[in-house]
Amino acid sequence: MLTLELTDQTGAVTQAEWQAAAAEAAPVLARAQAGEERYADSLGWLDPTLWGGQDWAGRAAALAQQLRGFADTFVVIGVGGSNNAARTVVEALDLPGGMRIVWAGNTLSPHAMNRMLAQLEGRSPVIDCIAKNFETLEPGASFRVLRRWLTDRYGKQEAARRILCTGTPGSSLEKLAKEQGYTFLPFPEPIGGRFTALSPVHLMPMAAAGADVAALCRGAEKMAAALRRQPADENPALQYAALRYLLWQKGYRAELLSCFEPRMKGLFKWWEQLFAESEGKDGRGLLPVTGEFSEQLHSLGQFIQDGTHILFETFLNVKEQQASLSLAPDGVEDGFGYLDDKDFEDLNRAAFAATRTAHSATLPCVTLTIDRVDEENLGGLFYFFQFACYLSAELLGVNPFDQPGVEAYKGWMFRALGKPGA
Ligand code: PA5
């Protein structure tokens, strides 16, 4: 199970203050556990069996198996909440036997688009256009290019067999899918993009990649059962949210999520989106930033240790050793004899312990430990962060489920491109 630990040599925050903040936040937890009426149209994720769970996991796995019968590559066309969760799983896990996943719909760069298309040469692809309302430009434009690519190569009928659309029932994407004979999957109406990690939106590409989506859903269900029942003093999501709010009140303006496993790079993007879009509004919120260690200790590390005091740090720590590589000596005197016969795991753990000791001298540090990196733990982690983010935004006094700032840029872009009615 997931645990949290505070390490702070600066005295900025004490255990007692943290506990008091969590106790004060208990009514917010109680409201969230009950399911708030005012957010009813955004809380479809709160019970992960409603729009996910074993039923949807089974359906996604079955469709993935069917697609693998004639295709070897699955193109995910989606941006933000329609991309990041599946990407987290694909980048974190070694998934032999699954389809190759290609990412599209998250850029408007012709260079990047051409690179993406080049990845399809010599492959047998299917595509999945994931878009809640099918108005976002990046997936819309990419879908057009990829549809045409498939039709040119296979003809209209075979192309249709290779096209999936994931959208809300009643949306223009569903209409288009029906007209063209594409497979249509539901994007749950009562879930905003960044909260869809455990829904069909992401279970489909995860299953196509070969992930055990049943285990992922199991992990989420266990986490949900715990967080929706635990009282404030035992509830890690409430404790994390309360600590974030306490530190925000004390003047901290950014949270750095860092990890010594580069495979968690996809999770970083997902986490950044979840917290930035949910909390960054009304002049409030912590800027979510991420540190891929140990590489970025050699860049960000200077600022973290010694720069403006706006940051606190959350280390994502993995308890179990899942890989091993020995540093056996090769007889060459290279000045690294002190590493003889150590394992890279020893080095990575030493780097983590040293970094936490060093950083906690100048900024508050939290360690969030999960057991291992696998489907079940990732499912639990998705739910943990979604629930904690909801609580955290509530404490901050902002609506967790809208993103008016993102809409503003879209308006300017649509007008510049001459979209009717923009
Ligand atoms: O979390 C959100 O709601 C957003 O980040 C969306 O996921 C993102 O903008 C993509 O939207 P859509 O699926 O409608 O294209």
Side-chain angles (χ1 to χ4, degrees):
M1 203 51 182
L2 180 155
T3 59
L4 284 176
E5 180 192 345
L6 174 68
T7 316
D8 181 14
Q9 305 171 53
T10 69
V13 57
T14 63
Q15 286 286 348
E17 274 181 298
W18 184 15
Q19 275 164 22
E24 209 173 308
V28 170
L29 173 66
R31 282 204 302 274
Q33 286 173 326
E36 288 178 282
E37 196 46 47
R38 63 182 169 143
Y39 294 136
D41 59 356
S42 302
L43 285 175
W45 56 272
L46 199 59
D47 174 354
T49 62
L50 218 55
W51 276 103
Q54 299 311 315
D55 177 29
W56 279 107
R59 290 198 224 181
L63 184 51
Q65 195 180 355
Q66 192 186 318
L67 297 174
R68 274 199 292 268
F70 60 90
D72 60 13
T73 301
F74 190 98
V75 184
V76 176
I77 306 173
V79 69
S82 297
N83 164 307
N84 289 334
R87 202 163 187 164
T88 298
V89 168
V90 171
E91 287 182 4
L93 303 178
D94 302 319
L95 298 167
M99 295 165 96
R100 180 195 285 181
I101 306 294
V102 171
W103 308 101
N106 53 353
T107 179
L108 298 171
S109 152
H111 178 263
M113 287 297 295
N114 284 328
R115 259 197 186 169
M116 179 275 296
L117 290 170
Q119 288 184 65
L120 305 184
E121 288 310 329
R123 312 285 304 182
S124 172
V126 292
I127 67 175
D128 184 5
C129 178
I130 306 174
K132 188 161 186 182
N133 297 312
F134 197 45
E135 285 184 7
T136 311
L137 186 59
E138 291 86 348
S142 295
F143 186 31
R144 180 187 282 197
V145 166
L146 282 155
R147 259 187 345 255
R148 183 150 184 195
W149 189 97
L150 284 177
T151 310
D152 287 350
R153 171 179 288 199
Y154 296 107
K156 209 166 158 42
Q157 199 177 344
E158 174 60 12
R161 186 166 76 118
R162 292 171 178 269
I163 299 178
L164 280 65
C165 295
T166 305
T168 43
S171 65
S172 60
L173 186 58
E174 184 187 32
K175 187 166 171 279
L176 184 155
K178 280 195 174 143
E179 280 166 8
Q180 301 297 325
Y182 306 154
T183 302
F184 183 75
L185 298 171
F187 193 122
E189 184 70 59
I191 312 185
R194 58 189 176 274
F195 286 86
T196 55
L198 301 156
S199 80
V201 172
H202 293 279
L203 294 179
M204 186 60 238
M206 289 171 189
D212 180 350
V213 284
L216 187 106
C217 293
R218 206 166 46 241
E221 285 159 36
K222 279 190 200 162
M223 185 62 76
L227 298 182
R228 296 188 68 196
R229 141 182 81 67
Q230 286 164 327
D233 60 344
E234 287 170 24
N235 194 305
L238 189 269
Q239 282 160 12
Y240 177 55
L243 185 60
R244 297 178 90 253
Y245 183 50
L246 182 60
L247 290 166
W248 186 78
Q249 287 174 307
K250 284 176 181 280
Y252 291 90
R253 290 294 173 259
E255 177 182 10
L256 174 78
L257 180 70
S258 52
C259 185
F260 284 77
E261 288 295 342
R263 58 178 8 200
M264 301 310 261
K265 203 153 113 183
L267 180 88
F268 282 176
K269 273 198 171 185
W270 176 82
W271 176 87
E272 279 172 357
Q273 188 210 351
L274 180 68
F275 280 92
E277 280 197 332
S278 302
E279 285 197 330
K281 49 197 75 155
D282 304 338
R284 291 161 172 250
L286 291 159
L287 174 72
V289 286
T290 52
E292 192 187 329
F293 293 169
S294 57
E295 185 175 356
Q296 286 183 293
L297 288 173
H298 300 266
S299 54
L300 284 185
Q302 174 59 36
F303 185 96
I304 298 165
Q305 187 77 57
D306 214 13
T308 323
H309 293 295
I310 54 167
L311 281 174
F312 70 93
E313 185 166 12
T314 300
F315 289 98
L316 178 60
N317 176 41
V318 182
K319 197 193 294 180
E320 199 177 301
Q321 175 170 352
Q322 292 182 266
S324 175
L325 181 64
S326 166
L327 280 139
D330 64 355
V332 177
E333 184 43 69
D334 59 2
F336 288 92
Y338 64 97
L339 299 181
D340 283 358
D341 295 321
K342 287 198 167 63
D343 195 281
F344 264 94
E345 178 75 3
D346 304 324
L347 274 54
N348 214 23
R349 296 234 173 250
F352 165 48
T355 304
R356 188 170 58 174
T357 302
H359 288 185
S360 63
T362 54
L363 62 148
C365 293
V366 187
T367 305
L368 192 168
T369 301
I370 58 169
D371 289 338
R372 61 199 320 269
V373 180
D374 62 10
E375 285 90 339
E376 191 163 333
N377 280 273
L378 287 173
L381 199 56
F382 281 138
Y383 192 89
F384 170 80
F385 277 130
Q386 289 184 180
F387 194 69
C389 181
Y390 170 26
L391 298 173
S392 189
E394 286 284 85
L395 288 169
L396 207 56
V398 298
N399 179 342
F401 304 116
D402 65 1
Q403 55 282 327
V406 179
E407 302 309 330
Y409 112 82
K410 284 185 188 170
W412 287 105
M413 180 177 63
F414 288 146
R415 281 190 286 281
L417 291 169
K419 182 181 178 190

